[in-house]
Amino acid sequence: MTSSADLYCVMGNPVAHSRSPAIHARFAELTGQTLAYERRLVPMDGFVQGVRDFMAEGGRGCNITVPFKIEAPRLATHCSERVQLAGAANVLTFGADGSIHADNTDGLGLVADITRNAGVSLAGRDVLLLGAGGAAAGALGPLLRAGVRHITVANRTLARAQTLVQSHAALALLQNTELLALEPQALEADFDVIINATASSLTGADVPVAAHVLRPGSLACDLMYGPAAQGFLDWAKAHGAVPRDGLGMLVEQAAEAFLLWRGVRPPSAQVLAEMLRAA
Ligand code: NAP
């Protein structure tokens, strides 16, 4: 890091597993940008102070990860349409006047990874979105905009899934997409695409759904990546699905954040390919 480098970070708890610093460093290298990007572990009750401290140190922006995405918009002076719809943010950009702009690039990253990197069209598909936290909230709008036929949001706390479905009901109607909220135990159907946006893999918990939701050849994505996602990926493969972890989404959502911060789109497919080769 040089003293003239613009400073960014990823803020969360836990945050040690995050590969965002390596991704942004590579984006900067490939686009000729001068920046430094670090991890910031903040206490569970210390998110607001963490952001204030980082701004005071001259930070230009930060990514927000688990569990602060829903808290993040409350700090912002301006929220993008995507944040207003999701009620969650994963990107903050700090203005020189102390303003804080919140955006959400998680869903854009997920859809880009599924459609461009995995080559799976979402149009007309039946999708199961597991979870109703910050990541699921960010994913739902872009999934609806991708033209899927049906989405079930299933969460162990049903009320949170219902709230998410209600806040997206108008968009679902506009997109002619059927949108339902269920408890995971109440699921009877199977799906073309299953997205685990719960924190089950992060916390080492069991796969939060029964295998009958998978069809042969279903795409089964866990938003987690690295060794912690392996249990879900093995489960999906053992039941005839095509497993995919969250690394591609991570790179694609980071690319959207980098574009917001630096005004230049980094070569995300190249960076993902490099990371997969190095794995
Ligand atoms: P969050 O806001 O804390 O939400 C967690 C969600 O997981 C809630 O719906 C929660 O259900 C559910 N959950 C937690 N533990 C569970 C368990 N053992 N069984 C079933 N459900 C459980 O977290 P988040 O920000 O949405 O992140 C979720 C996951 O996505 C994390 O693993 C995170 O690393 C990953 N992620 C990856 C990317 C990427 O770019 N690849 C981006 C964003 C997030 P309740 O509502 O019932 O508590």
Side-chain angles (χ1 to χ4, degrees):
M1 169 167 58
T2 68
S3 56
S4 61
D6 292 339
L7 183 60
Y8 298 88
C9 76
V10 53
M11 210 172 273
N13 187 335
V15 79
H17 67 282
S18 176
R19 296 182 74 178
S20 292
I23 293 169
H24 281 279
R26 186 68 179 132
F27 285 169
E29 197 175 20
L30 290 169
T31 57
Q33 299 279 308
T34 305
L35 60 84
Y37 187 111
E38 56 190 45
R39 288 182 188 86
R40 288 272 170 129
L41 176 69
V42 292
M44 295 305 256
D45 60 353
F47 173 66
V48 173
Q49 195 56 46
V51 172
R52 297 278 174 227
D53 289 348
F54 189 61
M55 290 177 79
E57 287 167 42
R60 301 284 297 269
C62 63
N63 283 129
I64 309 300
T65 188
V66 62
F68 301 119
K69 290 181 186 194
I70 290 177
E71 197 176 343
R74 290 183 217 137
L75 259 181
T77 48
H78 174 83
C79 290
S80 72
E81 252 181 61
R82 289 190 287 259
V83 171
Q84 289 172 41
L85 184 64
N90 72 321
V91 185
L92 298 180
T93 306
F94 310 135
D97 57 355
S99 59
I100 302 178
H101 289 239
D103 210 326
N104 195 317
T105 63
D106 274 342
L108 297 180
L110 176 65
V111 168
D113 185 55
I114 291 175
T115 56
R116 289 208 305 262
N117 299 333
V120 173
S121 167
L122 285 167
R125 298 304 183 100
D126 295 340
V127 176
L128 174 60
L129 181 60
L130 295 165
L140 188 51
L143 285 170
L144 286 166
R145 288 202 167 91
V148 299
R149 191 186 76 85
H150 170 99
I151 302 181
T152 295
V153 181
N155 194 47
R156 66 179 179 186
T157 308
L158 177 61
R160 290 185 81 190
Q162 288 169 331
T163 302
L164 205 53
V165 162
Q166 272 161 18
S167 63
H168 288 72
L171 178 59
L173 199 62
L174 199 69
Q175 293 292 134
N176 203 20
T177 304
E178 192 180 18
L179 182 58
L180 290 179
L182 284 178
E183 279 173 323
Q185 315 85 273
L187 288 165
E188 287 178 355
D190 53 18
F191 297 84
D192 299 307
V193 178
I194 293 91
I195 298 164
N196 184 18
T198 77
S200 65
S201 293
L202 181 68
T203 59
D206 291 341
V207 172
V209 72
H212 67 71
V213 298
L214 301 171
R215 290 175 190 159
S218 295
L219 180 69
C221 304
D222 195 323
L223 301 198
M224 195 61 202
Y225 51 88
Q230 201 55 51
F232 180 92
L233 302 181
D234 291 345
W235 169 84
K237 200 170 171 194
H239 292 94
V242 178
R244 189 164 185 86
D245 74 5
L247 187 63
M249 171 184 174
L250 182 77
V251 173
E252 296 297 347
Q253 65 75 29
E256 296 292 339
F258 193 92
L259 176 64
L260 286 170
W261 288 332
R262 311 301 298 181
V264 50
R265 181 175 285 283
S268 50
Q270 177 186 337
V271 173
L272 176 59
E274 288 174 0
M275 293 178 83
L276 290 173
R277 269 201 304 275

